[in-house]
Amino acid sequence: MNKTSNADSAEIEKFSQLAHRWWDKDSEFKPLHAINPLRLDWIRSHVPIEGKKIVDIGCGGGILSESLALTGAQVTGIDLSQKALKVAKLHALEAEVKGLEYLESSAESLAEQRPEFYDVVTCMEMLEHVPDPSLVVAACARLVKPGGWVFCSTINRNLQSFLMAIVGAEYVLNMLPRGTHEYAKFITPSELLSLAESAGLSAVNLIGMHFNPITQRYWLGSGTKVNYFLALQKSV
Ligand code: SAH
């Protein structure tokens, strides 16, 4: 159940190469650690997650998956990077986290096996790494129960996002390895909204994520020119 044509092997390899540093808060994954409390709180402001079944798509080393499980959800983390999954499993074992399983699977194949199984789907910082995000969004819609929630985050596509997310983050501030993001794969909020709507998901909340490189602080607020979060709900 683990392979899909809707995956870019070079992208998966990129994350595999770095996987051993996933839980190092001063590594390439520092931004994911820094934004994690923010996104966890944002998800929980829409839906109480205690006891809920959640699938985290493109979970990587498990930063979000683990925090969801520690909050009391029953979490499935899926990814196609075996190395990232190995790190995720080991970390969960060491931290003795309950209610967490990791599977090597694409969203599309899990959706075939577990349609309408999950109360919540999270797909964060992942859509900009796949060849056809519409298939992943459709799989999210299939995985979630009627009335359930889908939370996505990705990067907008415009001059400002190019300057901030690629030039700034990869070349000036060296926050991310060069080549982490590809401009052509960025997705505008209206493109993502239209993919979601075609899949049967309705938008509930769209919010920007902002970063101040001087204070190193992240926050959510209006303005979706660069990073943004989208909360969606499947109709009952
Ligand atoms: N969602 C995590 C990790 C983001 S990094 C977080 O925000 O903390 C992007 C992850 O997506 C990587 O682990 C990469 O291996 C995974 N990925 C890329 N393409 C994928 C695909 N087609 N299917 C599943 N996972 C994929």
PDB file of all heavy atoms in Angstrom, residues 51-53 114-121 140-150 201 233-236:
ATOM      1  N   GLY A  51      -9.553  12.267  22.036  1.00  0.00           N
ATOM      2  CA  GLY A  51     -10.313  11.070  21.680  1.00  0.00           C
ATOM      3  C   GLY A  51     -10.662  10.954  20.203  1.00  0.00           C
ATOM      4  O   GLY A  51     -11.249   9.959  19.776  1.00  0.00           O
ATOM      5  N   LYS A  52     -10.296  11.960  19.402  1.00  0.00           N
ATOM      6  CA  LYS A  52     -10.651  11.924  17.975  1.00  0.00           C
ATOM      7  C   LYS A  52      -9.626  11.109  17.182  1.00  0.00           C
ATOM      8  O   LYS A  52      -8.456  11.019  17.552  1.00  0.00           O
ATOM      9  CB  LYS A  52     -10.687  13.350  17.411  1.00  0.00           C
ATOM     10  CG  LYS A  52     -11.744  14.237  18.047  1.00  0.00           C
ATOM     11  CD  LYS A  52     -13.087  14.063  17.387  1.00  0.00           C
ATOM     12  CE  LYS A  52     -14.245  14.600  18.218  1.00  0.00           C
ATOM     13  NZ  LYS A  52     -14.163  16.007  18.544  1.00  0.00           N
ATOM     14  N   LYS A  53     -10.112  10.545  16.054  1.00  0.00           N
ATOM     15  CA  LYS A  53      -9.192   9.843  15.135  1.00  0.00           C
ATOM     16  C   LYS A  53      -8.648  10.869  14.143  1.00  0.00           C
ATOM     17  O   LYS A  53      -9.429  11.528  13.442  1.00  0.00           O
ATOM     18  CB  LYS A  53      -9.954   8.762  14.376  1.00  0.00           C
ATOM     19  CG  LYS A  53     -10.313   7.573  15.204  1.00  0.00           C
ATOM     20  CD  LYS A  53     -10.673   6.412  14.256  1.00  0.00           C
ATOM     21  CE  LYS A  53     -11.265   5.260  15.018  1.00  0.00           C
ATOM     22  NZ  LYS A  53     -12.703   5.108  14.849  1.00  0.00           N
ATOM     23  N   ARG A 114      -9.312   3.225   4.043  1.00  0.00           N
ATOM     24  CA  ARG A 114     -10.037   3.718   5.225  1.00  0.00           C
ATOM     25  C   ARG A 114     -10.905   4.928   4.870  1.00  0.00           C
ATOM     26  O   ARG A 114     -10.737   6.002   5.438  1.00  0.00           O
ATOM     27  CB  ARG A 114      -9.045   4.118   6.323  1.00  0.00           C
ATOM     28  CG  ARG A 114      -8.179   2.968   6.807  1.00  0.00           C
ATOM     29  CD  ARG A 114      -7.274   3.430   7.964  1.00  0.00           C
ATOM     30  NE  ARG A 114      -6.434   2.359   8.446  1.00  0.00           N
ATOM     31  CZ  ARG A 114      -5.492   2.517   9.389  1.00  0.00           C
ATOM     32  NH1 ARG A 114      -5.287   3.691   9.940  1.00  0.00           N
ATOM     33  NH2 ARG A 114      -4.759   1.485   9.789  1.00  0.00           N
ATOM     34  N   PRO A 115     -11.846   4.756   3.950  1.00  0.00           N
ATOM     35  CA  PRO A 115     -12.684   5.913   3.606  1.00  0.00           C
ATOM     36  C   PRO A 115     -13.562   6.323   4.785  1.00  0.00           C
ATOM     37  O   PRO A 115     -14.071   5.463   5.505  1.00  0.00           O
ATOM     38  CB  PRO A 115     -13.520   5.422   2.418  1.00  0.00           C
ATOM     39  CG  PRO A 115     -13.495   3.931   2.522  1.00  0.00           C
ATOM     40  CD  PRO A 115     -12.203   3.554   3.180  1.00  0.00           C
ATOM     41  N   GLU A 116     -13.682   7.620   5.000  1.00  0.00           N
ATOM     42  CA  GLU A 116     -14.537   8.215   6.052  1.00  0.00           C
ATOM     43  C   GLU A 116     -14.248   7.618   7.432  1.00  0.00           C
ATOM     44  O   GLU A 116     -15.133   7.386   8.233  1.00  0.00           O
ATOM     45  CB  GLU A 116     -16.013   8.100   5.671  1.00  0.00           C
ATOM     46  CG  GLU A 116     -16.260   8.782   4.335  1.00  0.00           C
ATOM     47  CD  GLU A 116     -17.710   9.110   4.050  1.00  0.00           C
ATOM     48  OE1 GLU A 116     -18.599   8.445   4.605  1.00  0.00           O
ATOM     49  OE2 GLU A 116     -17.947  10.049   3.258  1.00  0.00           O
ATOM     50  N   PHE A 117     -12.978   7.382   7.701  1.00  0.00           N
ATOM     51  CA  PHE A 117     -12.549   6.749   8.949  1.00  0.00           C
ATOM     52  C   PHE A 117     -12.135   7.800   9.997  1.00  0.00           C
ATOM     53  O   PHE A 117     -12.225   7.568  11.184  1.00  0.00           O
ATOM     54  CB  PHE A 117     -11.370   5.823   8.638  1.00  0.00           C
ATOM     55  CG  PHE A 117     -10.866   5.021   9.802  1.00  0.00           C
ATOM     56  CD1 PHE A 117     -11.546   3.874  10.214  1.00  0.00           C
ATOM     57  CD2 PHE A 117      -9.707   5.389  10.477  1.00  0.00           C
ATOM     58  CE1 PHE A 117     -11.072   3.124  11.287  1.00  0.00           C
ATOM     59  CE2 PHE A 117      -9.225   4.647  11.549  1.00  0.00           C
ATOM     60  CZ  PHE A 117      -9.915   3.507  11.958  1.00  0.00           C
ATOM     61  N   TYR A 118     -11.686   8.954   9.544  1.00  0.00           N
ATOM     62  CA  TYR A 118     -11.078   9.928  10.462  1.00  0.00           C
ATOM     63  C   TYR A 118     -11.985  11.124  10.759  1.00  0.00           C
ATOM     64  O   TYR A 118     -12.720  11.590   9.898  1.00  0.00           O
ATOM     65  CB  TYR A 118      -9.749  10.422   9.868  1.00  0.00           C
ATOM     66  CG  TYR A 118      -8.715   9.322   9.847  1.00  0.00           C
ATOM     67  CD1 TYR A 118      -8.483   8.577   8.692  1.00  0.00           C
ATOM     68  CD2 TYR A 118      -8.007   8.991  10.997  1.00  0.00           C
ATOM     69  CE1 TYR A 118      -7.555   7.541   8.681  1.00  0.00           C
ATOM     70  CE2 TYR A 118      -7.071   7.953  10.995  1.00  0.00           C
ATOM     71  CZ  TYR A 118      -6.844   7.236   9.840  1.00  0.00           C
ATOM     72  OH  TYR A 118      -5.938   6.211   9.829  1.00  0.00           O
ATOM     73  N   ASP A 119     -11.888  11.614  12.007  1.00  0.00           N
ATOM     74  CA  ASP A 119     -12.611  12.828  12.392  1.00  0.00           C
ATOM     75  C   ASP A 119     -11.883  14.068  11.885  1.00  0.00           C
ATOM     76  O   ASP A 119     -12.499  15.086  11.606  1.00  0.00           O
ATOM     77  CB  ASP A 119     -12.691  12.937  13.930  1.00  0.00           C
ATOM     78  CG  ASP A 119     -13.372  11.727  14.549  1.00  0.00           C
ATOM     79  OD1 ASP A 119     -14.583  11.577  14.346  1.00  0.00           O
ATOM     80  OD2 ASP A 119     -12.684  10.925  15.210  1.00  0.00           O
ATOM     81  N   VAL A 120     -10.566  13.948  11.815  1.00  0.00           N
ATOM     82  CA  VAL A 120      -9.740  15.097  11.449  1.00  0.00           C
ATOM     83  C   VAL A 120      -8.598  14.632  10.537  1.00  0.00           C
ATOM     84  O   VAL A 120      -8.013  13.569  10.770  1.00  0.00           O
ATOM     85  CB  VAL A 120      -9.132  15.774  12.721  1.00  0.00           C
ATOM     86  CG1 VAL A 120      -8.150  16.872  12.360  1.00  0.00           C
ATOM     87  CG2 VAL A 120     -10.231  16.309  13.642  1.00  0.00           C
ATOM     88  N   VAL A 121      -8.320  15.421   9.508  1.00  0.00           N
ATOM     89  CA  VAL A 121      -7.163  15.171   8.637  1.00  0.00           C
ATOM     90  C   VAL A 121      -6.264  16.407   8.713  1.00  0.00           C
ATOM     91  O   VAL A 121      -6.755  17.536   8.591  1.00  0.00           O
ATOM     92  CB  VAL A 121      -7.606  14.952   7.170  1.00  0.00           C
ATOM     93  CG1 VAL A 121      -6.396  14.793   6.248  1.00  0.00           C
ATOM     94  CG2 VAL A 121      -8.529  13.752   7.042  1.00  0.00           C
ATOM     95  N   CYS A 140      -7.797  13.565   1.085  1.00  0.00           N
ATOM     96  CA  CYS A 140      -8.147  14.124   2.413  1.00  0.00           C
ATOM     97  C   CYS A 140      -9.664  14.105   2.582  1.00  0.00           C
ATOM     98  O   CYS A 140     -10.179  13.705   3.630  1.00  0.00           O
ATOM     99  CB  CYS A 140      -7.683  15.579   2.540  1.00  0.00           C
ATOM    100  SG  CYS A 140      -5.906  15.792   2.587  1.00  0.00           S
ATOM    101  N   ALA A 141     -10.368  14.522   1.534  1.00  0.00           N
ATOM    102  CA  ALA A 141     -11.836  14.590   1.591  1.00  0.00           C
ATOM    103  C   ALA A 141     -12.430  13.197   1.758  1.00  0.00           C
ATOM    104  O   ALA A 141     -13.446  13.015   2.417  1.00  0.00           O
ATOM    105  CB  ALA A 141     -12.370  15.258   0.335  1.00  0.00           C
ATOM    106  N   ARG A 142     -11.786  12.219   1.158  1.00  0.00           N
ATOM    107  CA  ARG A 142     -12.278  10.849   1.252  1.00  0.00           C
ATOM    108  C   ARG A 142     -11.992  10.239   2.623  1.00  0.00           C
ATOM    109  O   ARG A 142     -12.787   9.460   3.152  1.00  0.00           O
ATOM    110  CB  ARG A 142     -11.597  10.023   0.153  1.00  0.00           C
ATOM    111  CG  ARG A 142     -12.441   8.862  -0.255  1.00  0.00           C
ATOM    112  CD  ARG A 142     -11.990   8.192  -1.513  1.00  0.00           C
ATOM    113  NE  ARG A 142     -12.616   6.876  -1.515  1.00  0.00           N
ATOM    114  CZ  ARG A 142     -12.134   5.821  -2.108  1.00  0.00           C
ATOM    115  NH1 ARG A 142     -10.997   5.901  -2.782  1.00  0.00           N
ATOM    116  NH2 ARG A 142     -12.755   4.673  -2.050  1.00  0.00           N
ATOM    117  N   LEU A 143     -10.853  10.562   3.188  1.00  0.00           N
ATOM    118  CA  LEU A 143     -10.458   9.995   4.481  1.00  0.00           C
ATOM    119  C   LEU A 143     -11.325  10.479   5.636  1.00  0.00           C
ATOM    120  O   LEU A 143     -11.511   9.779   6.630  1.00  0.00           O
ATOM    121  CB  LEU A 143      -8.994  10.363   4.780  1.00  0.00           C
ATOM    122  CG  LEU A 143      -7.937   9.560   4.034  1.00  0.00           C
ATOM    123  CD1 LEU A 143      -6.605  10.309   4.008  1.00  0.00           C
ATOM    124  CD2 LEU A 143      -7.753   8.188   4.685  1.00  0.00           C
ATOM    125  N   VAL A 144     -11.851  11.704   5.507  1.00  0.00           N
ATOM    126  CA  VAL A 144     -12.555  12.315   6.634  1.00  0.00           C
ATOM    127  C   VAL A 144     -14.034  11.933   6.641  1.00  0.00           C
ATOM    128  O   VAL A 144     -14.656  11.751   5.591  1.00  0.00           O
ATOM    129  CB  VAL A 144     -12.337  13.855   6.624  1.00  0.00           C
ATOM    130  CG1 VAL A 144     -13.184  14.565   5.575  1.00  0.00           C
ATOM    131  CG2 VAL A 144     -12.556  14.444   7.986  1.00  0.00           C
ATOM    132  N   LYS A 145     -14.580  11.804   7.881  1.00  0.00           N
ATOM    133  CA  LYS A 145     -16.007  11.487   8.038  1.00  0.00           C
ATOM    134  C   LYS A 145     -16.848  12.691   7.620  1.00  0.00           C
ATOM    135  O   LYS A 145     -16.366  13.825   7.721  1.00  0.00           O
ATOM    136  CB  LYS A 145     -16.300  11.220   9.519  1.00  0.00           C
ATOM    137  CG  LYS A 145     -15.671   9.988  10.092  1.00  0.00           C
ATOM    138  CD  LYS A 145     -15.967   9.930  11.599  1.00  0.00           C
ATOM    139  CE  LYS A 145     -15.226   8.793  12.257  1.00  0.00           C
ATOM    140  NZ  LYS A 145     -15.322   8.828  13.725  1.00  0.00           N
ATOM    141  N   PRO A 146     -18.098  12.471   7.269  1.00  0.00           N
ATOM    142  CA  PRO A 146     -18.972  13.622   7.034  1.00  0.00           C
ATOM    143  C   PRO A 146     -19.021  14.499   8.286  1.00  0.00           C
ATOM    144  O   PRO A 146     -19.081  13.983   9.405  1.00  0.00           O
ATOM    145  CB  PRO A 146     -20.341  12.980   6.754  1.00  0.00           C
ATOM    146  CG  PRO A 146     -20.007  11.598   6.282  1.00  0.00           C
ATOM    147  CD  PRO A 146     -18.763  11.187   7.007  1.00  0.00           C
ATOM    148  N   GLY A 147     -18.904  15.785   8.107  1.00  0.00           N
ATOM    149  CA  GLY A 147     -18.877  16.712   9.244  1.00  0.00           C
ATOM    150  C   GLY A 147     -17.484  16.873   9.851  1.00  0.00           C
ATOM    151  O   GLY A 147     -17.287  17.701  10.740  1.00  0.00           O
ATOM    152  N   GLY A 148     -16.517  16.083   9.378  1.00  0.00           N
ATOM    153  CA  GLY A 148     -15.150  16.136   9.914  1.00  0.00           C
ATOM    154  C   GLY A 148     -14.348  17.304   9.340  1.00  0.00           C
ATOM    155  O   GLY A 148     -14.804  18.016   8.441  1.00  0.00           O
ATOM    156  N   TRP A 149     -13.146  17.455   9.875  1.00  0.00           N
ATOM    157  CA  TRP A 149     -12.308  18.620   9.562  1.00  0.00           C
ATOM    158  C   TRP A 149     -11.046  18.240   8.789  1.00  0.00           C
ATOM    159  O   TRP A 149     -10.458  17.195   9.052  1.00  0.00           O
ATOM    160  CB  TRP A 149     -11.883  19.299  10.855  1.00  0.00           C
ATOM    161  CG  TRP A 149     -13.008  19.970  11.564  1.00  0.00           C
ATOM    162  CD1 TRP A 149     -13.913  19.385  12.405  1.00  0.00           C
ATOM    163  CD2 TRP A 149     -13.355  21.351  11.487  1.00  0.00           C
ATOM    164  NE1 TRP A 149     -14.799  20.320  12.849  1.00  0.00           N
ATOM    165  CE2 TRP A 149     -14.485  21.536  12.317  1.00  0.00           C
ATOM    166  CE3 TRP A 149     -12.821  22.453  10.802  1.00  0.00           C
ATOM    167  CZ2 TRP A 149     -15.087  22.784  12.478  1.00  0.00           C
ATOM    168  CZ3 TRP A 149     -13.418  23.686  10.974  1.00  0.00           C
ATOM    169  CH2 TRP A 149     -14.543  23.845  11.794  1.00  0.00           C
ATOM    170  N   VAL A 150     -10.642  19.120   7.876  1.00  0.00           N
ATOM    171  CA  VAL A 150      -9.365  18.971   7.179  1.00  0.00           C
ATOM    172  C   VAL A 150      -8.588  20.280   7.377  1.00  0.00           C
ATOM    173  O   VAL A 150      -9.121  21.367   7.099  1.00  0.00           O
ATOM    174  CB  VAL A 150      -9.570  18.708   5.665  1.00  0.00           C
ATOM    175  CG1 VAL A 150      -8.227  18.642   4.941  1.00  0.00           C
ATOM    176  CG2 VAL A 150     -10.354  17.408   5.445  1.00  0.00           C
ATOM    177  N   LEU A 201     -15.239  19.743   0.103  1.00  0.00           N
ATOM    178  CA  LEU A 201     -14.871  20.373   1.382  1.00  0.00           C
ATOM    179  C   LEU A 201     -15.181  21.865   1.322  1.00  0.00           C
ATOM    180  O   LEU A 201     -14.930  22.507   0.293  1.00  0.00           O
ATOM    181  CB  LEU A 201     -13.363  20.187   1.640  1.00  0.00           C
ATOM    182  CG  LEU A 201     -12.849  18.755   1.734  1.00  0.00           C
ATOM    183  CD1 LEU A 201     -11.316  18.744   1.759  1.00  0.00           C
ATOM    184  CD2 LEU A 201     -13.394  18.060   2.982  1.00  0.00           C
ATOM    185  N   GLN A 233     -14.222  21.879   6.123  1.00  0.00           N
ATOM    186  CA  GLN A 233     -15.134  20.902   6.721  1.00  0.00           C
ATOM    187  C   GLN A 233     -15.874  20.173   5.625  1.00  0.00           C
ATOM    188  O   GLN A 233     -16.260  20.768   4.623  1.00  0.00           O
ATOM    189  CB  GLN A 233     -16.119  21.620   7.645  1.00  0.00           C
ATOM    190  CG  GLN A 233     -16.311  20.899   8.933  1.00  0.00           C
ATOM    191  CD  GLN A 233     -17.202  21.619   9.921  1.00  0.00           C
ATOM    192  OE1 GLN A 233     -17.560  22.772   9.721  1.00  0.00           O
ATOM    193  NE2 GLN A 233     -17.586  20.912  10.964  1.00  0.00           N
ATOM    194  N   LYS A 234     -16.073  18.865   5.860  1.00  0.00           N
ATOM    195  CA  LYS A 234     -16.844  18.064   4.896  1.00  0.00           C
ATOM    196  C   LYS A 234     -18.314  18.147   5.276  1.00  0.00           C
ATOM    197  O   LYS A 234     -18.660  18.020   6.467  1.00  0.00           O
ATOM    198  CB  LYS A 234     -16.352  16.622   4.956  1.00  0.00           C
ATOM    199  CG  LYS A 234     -17.039  15.675   3.993  1.00  0.00           C
ATOM    200  CD  LYS A 234     -16.168  14.442   3.844  1.00  0.00           C
ATOM    201  CE  LYS A 234     -16.869  13.245   3.286  1.00  0.00           C
ATOM    202  NZ  LYS A 234     -15.943  12.135   3.006  1.00  0.00           N
ATOM    203  N   SER A 235     -19.171  18.322   4.301  1.00  0.00           N
ATOM    204  CA  SER A 235     -20.591  18.458   4.656  1.00  0.00           C
ATOM    205  C   SER A 235     -21.145  17.141   5.190  1.00  0.00           C
ATOM    206  O   SER A 235     -20.665  16.060   4.845  1.00  0.00           O
ATOM    207  CB  SER A 235     -21.401  18.959   3.463  1.00  0.00           C
ATOM    208  OG  SER A 235     -21.132  18.125   2.374  1.00  0.00           O
ATOM    209  N   VAL A 236     -22.132  17.270   6.060  1.00  0.00           N
ATOM    210  CA  VAL A 236     -22.688  16.102   6.760  1.00  0.00           C
ATOM    211  C   VAL A 236     -23.536  15.264   5.798  1.00  0.00           C
ATOM    212  O   VAL A 236     -24.235  15.802   4.973  1.00  0.00           O
ATOM    213  CB  VAL A 236     -23.545  16.563   7.958  1.00  0.00           C
ATOM    214  CG1 VAL A 236     -24.044  15.351   8.756  1.00  0.00           C
ATOM    215  CG2 VAL A 236     -22.749  17.483   8.844  1.00  0.00           C
TER     216      VAL A 236
END
